[in-house]
Amino acid sequence: MTSSSHRVQGLNNDEVAADWPPISAQDIVWLHARYPQLAADSQPRWHSPRPLSAAAIVEGTHGAVFIKRHHHSVRSAACLEEEHRFIAHLATAGVPVVQVLSAADGHTAVEHGQWTFELHAVGAGEDLYRDAVSWSLLTDIARACEAGRALAQLHRAAARYHAPQRSTHVLVARDDLIRADDPIAAIKAELHERPGLARYLARIPWEAQLQRDVLPWHAGLAERLRHEPRLWAHNDWHVSNLLWRDGQVSTVLDFGLASPTSALFDLATAIERNAIAWLELERGMDAVRIDIALALLDGYRQVLPLSAARVHLLADLLPMVHFDFALSEVEYFEGVTGSTTNADVAWQPFMLGHPAWFHSTPGKALLQALRAAA
């Protein structure tokens, strides 16, 4: 499975061999027969360094085309089109989302062998963070405020969209377990459908670890979230998924983690993604940008006001917002790529380490600042 010649970003911001081979000439030839936007001799001009799929920008018949290829165990065509229908709704509502391209048969995702493909137009605007590693901080306060405004505008449009929960747990951000009265019972109830996750958890004292390190942060959240409406959300609002023009968000990219969660979950995720340098926590207070977190919140509230109670709930969500997705990453690495080493990273510093950080002085300072902003 590993492609030794293609290098991508590893979990420690290092460069590692890719799990998935790069988009090939053979892929493009096969896609050309189904997508009129591609020429038979289209060539990649850039390969993505992101590790969880393969992606490339190629020259099409009328401009550049972004090709993304998933393993079928991660995304089927039907599963991808769940994302695409949400994107189409947002586009109709005026949100500047990336354009998903349709194949000749009208479908927006196609399957070939072990692969599932989707094609997008290249978004308008400047990709200021294209080469930035995952978890890179957003460093510009004005840009953070604009990102908060853009997220609120997306949520305003998403409020009119209704669709069921995603058909997969793999590499999708949900809040089902956070909303559950008993998250451990909820996890156990799912394990028969998630063999990779079940195999990993069977080897560790996971219940005791969650009870000790994670679930104290869960106390009271399920009850409070009963009053928080379900909302289809982006769930990965990192600055690397936004294009910019004249200080404004000009294109929103990558809805791969999208699902029905809530507005506060999505905003908490944006703060977690953009304001905390998770791979540089040894920097102490320098690893958190409280000003960026407050700018995201301020920009959001310029479009959609939040009550003091909801701002407090936002702060209390932060130590738990990773919960479902951390399990999803464990499932992906153990069950799809077969890397128990990477699954260990998803479990230890991600699942267990993130909530632990909020007990630290910088973590407490961030939560205190958000609550004070109410």
Side-chain angles (χ1 to χ4, degrees), residues 2-20 46-55 127-137 236 238 240-241 254 279 329 332-333 337 339 342 345:
T2 298
S3 174
S4 59
S5 61
H6 180 41
R7 312 294 286 180
V8 296
Q9 294 169 1
L11 296 183
N12 292 312
N13 281 351
D14 49 352
E15 187 179 274
V16 299
D19 287 323
W20 310 114
W46 173 80
H47 288 281
S48 172
R50 305 296 179 186
L52 303 181
S53 60
D127 190 349
L128 299 176
Y129 290 78
R130 185 170 81 171
D131 298 321
V133 295
S134 298
W135 304 108
S136 293
L137 294 180
D236 192 15
H238 185 259
S240 61
N241 289 327
D254 196 353
L279 298 181
E329 285 210 319
Y332 169 78
F333 289 124
T337 68
S339 174
N342 283 345
V345 174

Side-chain angles (χ1 to χ4, degrees), residues 236-260:
D236 192 15
W237 197 258
H238 185 259
V239 69
S240 61
N241 289 327
L242 306 174
L243 302 184
W244 299 82
R245 178 173 290 162
D246 299 327
Q248 307 291 308
V249 172
S250 57
T251 308
V252 181
L253 308 171
D254 196 353
F255 284 76
L257 275 60
S259 75

